[in-house]
Amino acid sequence: MSSHCLAIVILARLFSFHAVTLQRFALFLATFSLLSTLSKTIRSSDNDSSHYLDSTRIEIINEIQGHLFNEQYRSADSVAQRLITIYPKDPAGYCFRAATLLNEMFDCEENLYADRFKALNDSVETLAKQMKKGATGERAAWMCLWIGHAKAHRALWESKFGSSPRAARLGLLAGGEYREGLSFDSTAVDIYAGLGAFHYWKSEKAGLLRMIRIFNDDREKGIAQLYRAVREATLSRSAARHALAWIYVNEEQPDSVLVICNELRTQYPLGKVFLWPMATATLKSGRYDEALSVFSQLQSRFYSEPGNYFNLIECDYQMFRCQSALGQEDDAEITALRVSTYDRRIPEKTRTRQGGKLREMTRYLSERSSSVTAGAP
C-alpha cells in the first residue's frame, strides 16, 4: 500500500461523482496494495534467510488476496488468523485482519467492528515498531510499510465513521511512513500502484492550487506509475488496473473502463468492486442502457444481502434515473415502488444520508399518481 490513502482522505469530499464509490475504490487499493508491496521480497525469500518473507507467507498472502477480491470476508479472516498463528510476532497477519474488517464495514456501510478493528490496528503498529528497532534496508522498509498501512486504514475508518480532521492527519502520517519506507528500499515496483493513484488524484483535485503551482501537476506521472505497476508488479497488477479504471471514469473514457473491469471480473467473479466503476462510467457518459444493466446487477446483489440499505437505495435510485432518461416510465415507477416496500426497514442514519434520493422517488410517484387521476374519465 502507498500514499493513495492520502488521496481518499483529502479528496473524497471534493470528488465530483458519488463519494461512497471513491471511498470504496480507495479502500480496495488500500487493501490490495498492502498485499502487493511485499512482492520484491517474495521473489527471492526462499533462497536468502535475510529476507523478510518466506514461501509459507507467499502462499497464505495469495490465498487472502483471492478471498478479498471475491469479498469472502470470513474466509479471508480465517486465513489471516492462520498467518498470525504461524508468525505471532509479525504485524502482517494483524494488518490483513484489520484490512478485512475494514473492507467488510465499507461494503455493508455499517460500523460493525470498530473496537476489534482499532485493537488490531494498534497491534500492527506495536509489532512493527518492535521489529523495526535496529533494522536496516529491506526489513526496515517493510516495517515502515506496515505502520503506514495501520495509519492509512485508521484514516479511512475516520473518513467514513469518525472525524475528517483526524482522517487528514492520519493520512499525512501514513504518507510519511511510506516515504520513509521507500528511502530504505526504492526498488519495490508494486508500490507504484498506490503512488500513481495518489499523484493523479492529488493533482486532479488541486484545481486552482495546481494552476498557480502550489501543487505540481502530477497526473501524467501518476498514470505512468500505474502502468509501470501493471507491467512489472508482482502482486499489485490488478490493483493498479482498478486504479486506472477509476481514472478513466474521471477522464470520461467508458470503453477503457469496461475493458479493464470486465477483465478483472473474469479473474474475480464473486466481487462487486469492479461493477461500481463500470456503472459510474456509463452513467456519467449518458449510456443509460448500459448503466441500467450494471446497476441492476449490483441491485440484485444487495437485495440478496439484507441490511445494506444504503447501497440498495443507491442502486434503485440510479436505476430509476436511467429508466426515466430512457423514457421507461412504467419501469421507473416499478423501481420507485420497490423502494417503498422496504422503506420502513431503512435505518434512520441511512434515511438521512439518502434522504434526497428517497424524496425524489416519492415525489415522482406522487406526480405519476396525480397525472393518472387527472387523465381519468
Side-chain angles (χ1 to χ4, degrees), residues 7 11 15 17 22 25 196-206 219 243 246-247 250:
L11 304 175
F15 204 43
F17 53 87
L22 177 60
F25 156 63
F198 171 70
H199 282 140
Y200 177 87
W201 291 110
K202 176 205 69 175
S203 302
E204 174 65 16
K205 296 306 170 183
R219 288 175 293 184
W246 277 112
I247 287 173
N250 188 63

Side-chain angles (χ1 to χ4, degrees), residues 134-301:
T136 59
E138 188 174 87
R139 179 173 290 270
W142 300 136
M143 294 307 108
C144 290
L145 286 166
W146 292 129
I147 296 168
H149 296 336
K151 293 185 184 301
H153 287 154
R154 181 58 186 267
L156 286 165
W157 183 90
E158 291 287 351
S159 73
K160 185 74 167 178
F161 304 113
S163 162
S164 294
R166 280 198 296 271
R169 182 178 63 82
L170 287 162
L172 292 171
L173 291 172
E177 293 291 341
Y178 298 138
R179 284 189 290 272
E180 184 181 358
L182 286 173
S183 73
F184 284 112
D185 182 0
S186 62
T187 63
V189 174
D190 291 76
I191 212 165
Y192 288 120
L195 281 174
F198 171 70
H199 282 140
Y200 177 87
W201 291 110
K202 176 205 69 175
S203 302
E204 174 65 16
K205 296 306 170 183
L208 179 62
L209 296 177
R210 184 184 71 244
M211 294 175 63
I212 62 177
R213 299 184 182 279
I214 291 178
F215 284 108
N216 293 330
D217 187 352
D218 289 330
R219 288 175 293 184
E220 292 301 322
K221 177 181 180 180
I223 291 172
Q225 288 174 330
L226 285 165
Y227 272 111
R228 183 177 177 186
V230 169
R231 292 191 307 269
E232 301 177 30
T234 300
L235 292 175
S236 64
R237 295 187 183 193
S238 293
R241 287 157 70 199
H242 186 228
L244 284 167
W246 277 112
I247 287 173
Y248 287 134
V249 169
N250 188 63
E251 297 288 331
E252 299 187 2
Q253 298 183 34
D255 289 331
S256 296
V257 176
L258 295 177
V259 168
I260 291 171
C261 291
N262 278 321
E263 290 175 352
L264 291 169
R265 289 179 66 202
T266 300
Q267 290 180 259
Y268 309 102
L270 301 181
K272 300 184 292 293
V273 67
F274 307 116
L275 292 172
W276 287 107
M278 294 173 67
T280 306
T282 49
L283 181 64
K284 278 170 61 72
S285 61
R287 291 161 59 165
Y288 297 112
D289 52 345
E290 294 173 78
L292 177 60
S293 174
V294 183
F295 276 115
S296 179
Q297 293 177 61
L298 281 166
Q299 194 273 351
S300 65
R301 298 277 194 100

Side-chain angles (χ1 to χ4, degrees), residues 18 276 283 288 291-292 295-296 298-299 302 309-325 331-340 342 353-364:
H18 190 220
W276 287 107
L283 181 64
Y288 297 112
L292 177 60
F295 276 115
S296 179
L298 281 166
Q299 194 273 351
F302 289 117
Y309 290 105
F310 184 94
N311 284 321
L312 185 57
I313 294 167
E314 186 65 29
C315 292
D316 275 327
Y317 173 74
Q318 300 300 350
M319 289 176 64
F320 162 79
R321 281 184 62 196
C322 293
Q323 290 159 341
S324 296
D331 289 337
E333 182 177 5
I334 290 171
T335 299
L337 284 169
R338 181 171 61 227
V339 175
S340 68
Y342 58 79
R353 293 172 65 195
Q354 295 285 49
K357 295 167 185 176
L358 291 169
R359 287 190 294 273
E360 183 177 338
M361 288 185 282
T362 299
R363 186 165 56 249
Y364 174 84

Side-chain angles (χ1 to χ4, degrees), residues 111-137:
N111 188 20
L112 300 174
Y113 313 115
D115 291 341
R116 201 188 325 168
F117 164 74
K118 292 175 186 178
L120 286 165
N121 240 24
D122 290 344
S123 296
V124 174
E125 291 207 42
T126 299
L127 292 170
K129 288 175 181 177
Q130 289 174 354
M131 292 187 69
K132 185 181 174 184
K133 290 179 181 178
T136 59

